[in-house]
Amino acid sequence: MGNATQAPETPQNTTTRPRIAFIGCGYLGATYAICFAELGYEVVGYDINTAKIDAFSSGTLPFHEAGLPELLKKNLESGRLRFTTDVQAVADFADVHFICVDTPQRKGEPGADLSYIEAAVTELSRHLTRKCLIVGKSTVPVGTASWVQELVDRHAPADLGVEVGWSPEFLQESNAMHDVLRPSRIVYAAQSEWASKLLKDVHRGILELAAVEDREVPVVETDLATAELVKVAANAFLSTKISFINAMADLCEVTGGDVTDLARAIGHDQRIGNKFLRAGIGFGGGCLPKDLRALTARAGDLGVGESFRFLGEIDQLNTRRRSHTVRAVAELVGRPPGPAGPDLSGVRVAYLGATFKPDTDDIRDSPALAIAQGLRRARADVVVYDPEGLDNAQTAAPELSYVKTLVEAVADADVVCAMVPWEEFRTLDPEALGRQVAERRILDGMNAFDADQWTAHGWTYRGIGR
Ligand code: UGA
């Protein structure tokens, strides 16, 4: 298996390579555009945000993803990759248009907001001048593909016969390049032989790379509804795994068990598997929480809500991790919460981590940031440090204090909260850190430390579920 941050050699086998457009250059569309250029396709990335397109065109990645800036520059230079805000140029260029725009949670409601899809598809359809395939990649409620086909039929010239397909993506931020170039599986749905062949050609580059590296990538061709459902099913299942292990963490805390040992032990059973069983402060990010809610809402609309009631509990269990962790900090500093909640006034908290997971600057629905805000509401003096997420965190939670180095964050702290497993935090040395703080107390929200080692250096250690 190749290294995710290392660009692969472009396979030399030049078979039919459709020209591809990625509509919407957020994390998803941009990563796909860059990686498909790397695979040898002629690619255009389209977005209505001029600043974003200017950044990509000049070789600057407007978000943090290791390895991707190098691949962006390399493929701009190759001439296979370009970015534009000109929808007509995109409509004229591509054989296949992948729709990669955001589908956020609707304000005040659990369902998905499809307005960006509607705008993108309508605008593209109006400018089409040739037969092409429009393929949804954004995560959507089941049934969206048929609605997109209706939109296309309404707005594209009828004689072109433009078709809609669907192909979900499974990329994880911080592992995005790897997940596009070397995916665990390819899933797509087409409505005709023509579209099916085109989708095969589109994915051929991935399969050729796999063959060069002596790997296999399973391909699942299915119907539109299933292709849409595969994505939300995967995210709901992953969320369920995490909330399950967090529930076990609660049980471990009241019985003296250790949830990290427990997860390791059950994970050896291959039917269970050892991934996504890290207990801690809960899941966040732009995908898992909102997909869980959107699936529950859609199931309700379709009359099978009862079967998905458990997902509401998964979501609540996850949200409760946040107040649970605030309470754990309060207990750690000897201020157990009273009826009005904890009072942490005068407590200086060194807060390590703001992003929703390590190796990204994304703070969307970040449990770490929400807990920092919870501590602040309890009147603690919270000083946050994060290797990449400071700017985004500061915009989202201006009430917190931010510093640019770990050393500044921990100086004279009454308690250290290590919340996001960045390498810089996982490798902290208890003795060296102990000399910088006022009190040797640590909340290991990452469950990454050896408790005995920290205790041996005079720390009061508290993990999650251990
Ligand atoms: C997730 C899915 O993993 C991807 O497959 C999917 O393509 C993507 O959403 C999407 O829908 O676009 P991502 O949001 O990048 O990817 O993040 P994950 O790596 O899944 O982590 C999600 C959250 O779960 C993080 O807050 C992480 O810290 C937490 N987590 C993960 C745990 O608390 N425990 C674990 O064992 C694993």
Side-chain angles (χ1 to χ4, degrees):
M1 171 103 33
N3 182 332
T5 57
Q6 200 172 35
E9 286 306 309
T10 305
Q12 294 306 304
N13 181 8
T14 47
T15 47
T16 325
R17 294 218 189 275
R19 300 203 294 188
I20 311 176
F22 291 93
I23 310 293
C25 285
Y27 223 110
L28 170 62
T31 306
Y32 262 87
I34 295 165
C35 290
F36 267 74
E38 176 68 12
L39 289 167
Y41 294 86
E42 265 190 81
V43 172
V44 63
Y46 167 80
D47 204 290
I48 53 171
N49 183 328
T50 312
K52 217 186 253 184
I53 290 300
D54 287 348
F56 286 123
S57 301
S58 65
T60 308
L61 202 69
F63 52 82
H64 177 79
E65 182 70 36
L68 207 52
E70 294 77 8
L71 217 58
L72 167 65
K73 286 196 192 82
K74 178 182 166 198
N75 283 286
L76 285 171
E77 280 162 21
S78 78
R80 283 193 302 274
L81 176 64
R82 68 199 163 85
F83 292 89
T84 183
T85 54
D86 180 351
V87 67
Q88 189 61 61
V90 173
D92 293 342
F93 166 83
D95 303 306
V96 180
H97 298 267
F98 281 105
I99 304 297
C100 300
V101 295
D102 276 351
T103 50
Q105 188 176 332
R106 267 188 254 138
K107 287 213 165 43
E109 287 178 55
D113 174 357
L114 300 180
S115 59
Y116 297 117
I117 295 221
E118 182 168 15
V121 170
T122 304
E123 184 68 357
L124 175 66
S125 299
R126 287 190 179 134
H127 288 83
L128 289 173
T129 51
R130 50 192 292 233
K131 182 172 171 75
C132 61
L133 183 64
I134 297 181
V135 184
K137 221 169 227 322
S138 308
T139 304
V140 293
V142 59
T144 302
S146 310
W147 168 72
V148 169
Q149 182 72 63
E150 283 167 26
L151 280 178
V152 171
D153 292 345
R154 202 172 323 138
H155 297 289
D159 57 325
L160 298 182
V162 176
E163 287 186 31
V164 170
W166 215 263
S167 180
E169 54 77 31
F170 308 100
L171 74 82
Q172 299 171 76
E173 295 185 16
S174 78
N175 204 41
M177 258 168 64
H178 176 271
D179 289 342
V180 175
L181 293 169
R182 302 176 176 87
S184 53
R185 73 284 206 193
I186 293 168
V187 180
Y188 57 75
Q191 300 187 81
S192 70
E193 281 298 317
W194 168 81
S196 171
K197 159 135 193 350
L198 204 47
L199 281 166
K200 246 183 224 109
D201 289 341
V202 161
H203 292 100
R204 198 183 306 277
I206 291 175
L207 300 178
E208 285 173 0
L209 176 63
V212 169
E213 296 176 351
D214 202 18
R215 284 179 294 111
E216 289 213 7
V217 180
V219 177
V220 180
E221 183 164 7
T222 182
D223 55 88
L224 290 177
T226 308
E228 293 167 308
L229 282 170
V230 165
K231 174 58 189 282
V232 282
N235 276 1
F237 193 80
L238 293 171
S239 309
T240 304
K241 266 189 114 172
I242 300 169
S243 274
F244 172 80
I245 202 65
N246 282 330
M248 294 310 298
D250 285 345
L251 202 48
C252 284
E253 280 187 8
V254 295
T255 55
D258 185 327
V259 76
T260 52
D261 286 349
L262 182 135
R264 216 177 26 245
I266 61 172
H268 285 308
D269 183 335
Q270 287 186 3
R271 294 170 304 172
I272 296 172
N274 57 13
K275 304 259 169 65
F276 272 67
L277 283 180
R278 182 173 50 76
I281 59 177
F283 58 80
C287 304
L288 260 46
K290 72 138 172 112
D291 290 351
L292 201 62
R293 291 166 200 151
L295 172 57
T296 311
R298 187 66 179 142
D301 292 346
L302 294 168
V304 289
E306 207 165 319
S307 303
F308 286 86
R309 235 176 8 217
F310 77 99
L311 284 185
E313 191 48 48
I314 296 296
D315 190 15
Q316 282 173 33
L317 212 153
N318 187 54
T319 308
R320 281 200 297 272
R321 306 308 294 161
R322 300 174 182 193
S323 48
H324 177 88
T325 310
V326 171
R327 213 164 37 245
V329 177
E331 285 164 6
L332 187 58
V333 297
R335 305 261 188 101
D343 178 3
L344 299 177
S345 39
V347 176
R348 162 84 164 78
V349 180
Y351 203 85
L352 309 183
T355 51
F356 85 97
K357 67 174 185 181
D359 304 317
T360 174
D361 59 0
D362 194 344
I363 49 93
R364 285 178 295 168
D365 212 336
S366 162
L369 197 57
I371 293 163
Q373 291 177 295
L375 292 169
R376 179 72 204 118
R377 277 195 299 278
R379 290 179 286 285
D381 172 16
V382 185
V383 182
V384 182
Y385 165 67
D386 187 282
E388 294 289 342
L390 285 179
D391 290 346
N392 287 338
Q394 196 146 22
T395 308
E399 73 274 25
L400 303 172
S401 306
Y402 295 92
V403 289
K404 290 198 159 54
T405 62
L406 192 143
V407 172
E408 291 167 272
V410 299
D412 297 325
D414 296 312
V415 58
V416 176
C417 293
M419 307 304 275
V420 184
W422 286 93
E423 170 84 8
E424 188 179 359
F425 306 154
R426 281 189 282 112
T427 53
L428 278 170
D429 173 51
E431 190 46 44
L433 188 67
R435 285 195 289 269
Q436 300 169 66
V437 296
E439 297 286 342
R440 295 191 178 203
R441 299 185 187 115
I442 188 146
L443 189 283
D444 177 10
M446 326 178 291
N447 273 351
F449 296 134
D450 176 344
D452 292 342
Q453 195 196 357
W454 285 73
T455 312
H457 285 275
W459 287 81
T460 306
Y461 171 93
R462 174 143 185 187
I464 308 269
R466 48 200 313 223

